[in-house]
Amino acid sequence: MNNNLKLILASIYILCLGVLLVFVFNYLDFKDLTDYHYIKKNSEELLSFRDENLFMFISVFLIFSILWIFLLGFGGPIAILSGFIFGQWLGTLLSVVSLTVGSTLLYFFAQYYFRDLIISHLENKIKKYKNLFKKNELFYFMIFRFMGGGGLPFGIQNVLPVVFDMKIKNYFYATFFGLFPSIFIVNSLGSGFEKLIEKNESLSYLSIISNPGIYWPIAGFIFILVVSFFIK
């Protein structure tokens, strides 16, 4: 691929990222997210529309989520949203699939266009792990995903294996299986909030923390943090 085509594709990527940021900051009113009645009203309309157009809703969600991750978006909001909209099990599957595909596309893109830049910034920081990682890259990256990426932002997690020149096939499978436990927990939290909003006209801190659909996912998340601390 010649340099002109690389430049065009990189420009398209930056343009798409810019459009996404403009939309988020200009068309979303974050103050509404603190209004419970606004959230309840819109969630009821959203779920009603989902029931009438499930296949289309799934398709739009997958496309949006893949694009969101490819444009360096965070994984947590996708997992919570899918749990809220699609429930615990279907939501988990859709989240993991979209996050895996989006991450793999981003990894391929970063490896092709920004390999030298990423290596120059990250290689010295993780050089001591390079030989260990090479022994079984599938296993170690899956553990890395399971641990939540060691607290690194999701976008950096996705491009970090460029330093190790990880095979795309291993990257895909390690991401898919490594994300499942944590995404299931975060997804369950989203599903718990949906049920809580559906059953209550108003919310209090007590009703939130005493709901099993909320405190069990939080306990699971704490468990993963503890396990990842000892693995680390």
Side-chain angles (χ1 to χ4, degrees), residues 141-143 145-147 173-182:
F141 192 59
M142 186 165 61
I143 294 298
R145 288 296 201 188
F146 173 80
M147 292 167 51
Y173 288 125
T175 298
F176 184 85
F177 292 108
L179 285 178
F180 237 105
S182 58

Side-chain angles (χ1 to χ4, degrees), residues 28-156:
L28 294 180
D29 191 346
F30 292 99
K31 290 186 294 184
D32 290 334
L33 299 180
T34 62
D35 186 342
Y36 178 74
H37 295 290
Y38 173 86
I39 294 173
K40 182 174 177 63
K41 176 178 178 295
N42 282 274
S43 65
E44 290 172 350
E45 294 176 359
L46 183 68
L47 296 178
S48 175
F49 183 76
R50 175 210 62 190
D51 293 337
E52 296 171 1
N53 308 273
L54 183 59
F55 179 77
M56 186 194 75
F57 219 80
I58 290 175
S59 300
V60 171
F61 176 82
L62 286 172
I63 293 170
F64 170 80
S65 301
I66 290 171
L67 182 62
W68 171 264
I69 297 302
F70 180 69
L71 296 175
L72 297 174
F74 296 104
I78 295 296
I80 292 176
L81 183 63
S82 64
F84 189 92
I85 297 174
F86 299 108
Q88 195 172 41
W89 298 103
L90 178 58
T92 297
L93 181 61
L94 293 174
S95 291
V96 172
V97 168
S98 59
L99 265 61
T100 300
V101 173
S103 298
T104 304
L105 290 174
L106 177 59
Y107 171 66
F108 178 79
F109 185 85
Q111 190 177 45
Y112 196 85
Y113 290 102
F114 302 106
R115 177 181 173 81
D116 294 338
L117 178 65
I118 292 170
I119 289 176
S120 66
H121 280 78
L122 297 178
E123 186 173 32
N124 289 333
K125 298 177 182 178
I126 57 175
K127 193 173 183 179
K128 61 181 179 179
Y129 301 111
K130 201 167 184 177
N131 291 331
L132 178 66
F133 190 85
K134 281 293 185 182
K135 291 179 181 178
N136 193 336
E137 61 181 20
L138 175 63
F139 173 76
Y140 286 115
F141 192 59
M142 186 165 61
I143 294 298
F144 177 76
R145 288 296 201 188
F146 173 80
M147 292 167 51
L152 292 174
F154 197 65
I156 295 178

Side-chain angles (χ1 to χ4, degrees), residues 3-14:
N3 291 332
N4 288 335
L5 185 54
K6 285 184 179 181
L7 181 61
I8 292 172
L9 291 176
S11 299
I12 292 173
Y13 177 83
I14 294 171

